[in-house]
Amino acid sequence: MSLTDAQWARIEPLLPDRTPRRGGRWRDRREVIDAIAFKFQSGSQWVHLPEKFGNWRGVYNRLRMWAIDGTWERVFTALVAQADADDDLNWAVSVDSTVVRAHQHAAGARKKGPRQANRQTRPPRPALGGLQGGPSG
């Protein structure tokens, strides 16, 4: 699935300058965004990106570079603001508890190993308020 002309018209002005700081000419930014969208929509690995999108490393590097410099955050924020202003925003949030996991020790699971063995050899602690050193009378 490729970006429509209307979608691209909203996104293009939000992207950084097209002139590279060093190296050769950058790939078409619309193709890069189409490649990134394809990767995440399909769930495929980067190395399986279709050849029509060019070298997967270039697409991946652009994704990372735009993440580091804040481009994606600026684009998302601006698109949400535009959608809100156009009254075209509808939020639906869902959390699937099957993917929310905690480590077994976070749930209070018993610990096994050498510590448990050491606890058995220790003398019992005195009752609350008892004296450990005996009477001092």
Side-chain angles (χ1 to χ4, degrees):
M1 180 179 143
S2 298
L3 289 172
T4 65
D5 290 338
Q7 291 169 329
W8 178 242
R10 283 187 165 194
I11 294 172
E12 184 180 24
L14 305 171
L15 297 175
D17 183 18
R18 224 185 120 141
T19 309
R21 293 183 194 148
R22 59 185 174 165
R25 187 173 86 70
W26 281 2
R27 200 170 170 76
D28 180 26
R29 296 177 301 169
R30 187 172 182 170
E31 288 178 10
V32 170
I33 292 177
D34 283 341
I36 292 168
F38 173 85
K39 189 268 186 241
F40 287 107
Q41 286 174 350
S42 68
S44 66
Q45 296 178 348
W46 284 108
V47 296
H48 297 125
L49 199 64
E51 288 183 25
K52 71 178 183 176
F53 295 122
N55 186 331
W56 68 268
R57 284 183 183 97
V59 175
Y60 172 76
N61 287 337
R62 185 71 56 85
L63 171 74
R64 286 198 65 235
M65 190 169 35
W66 284 350
I68 291 168
D69 72 7
T71 296
W72 292 117
E73 186 174 348
R74 283 191 305 275
V75 168
F76 179 74
T77 302
L79 291 176
V80 168
Q82 286 175 6
D84 190 32
D86 296 343
D87 225 9
D88 193 24
L89 192 59
N90 184 10
W91 290 96
V93 179
S94 175
V95 176
D96 182 357
S97 64
T98 60
V99 297
V100 179
R101 298 184 184 133
H103 191 272
Q104 63 185 3
H105 298 298
R110 295 185 141 224
K111 296 179 183 173
K112 296 179 181 176
R115 286 187 170 194
Q116 191 173 13
N118 289 343
R119 287 185 185 160
Q120 293 172 357
T121 59
R122 286 186 192 160
R125 289 187 169 176
L128 193 63
L131 301 173
Q132 289 186 351
S136 60

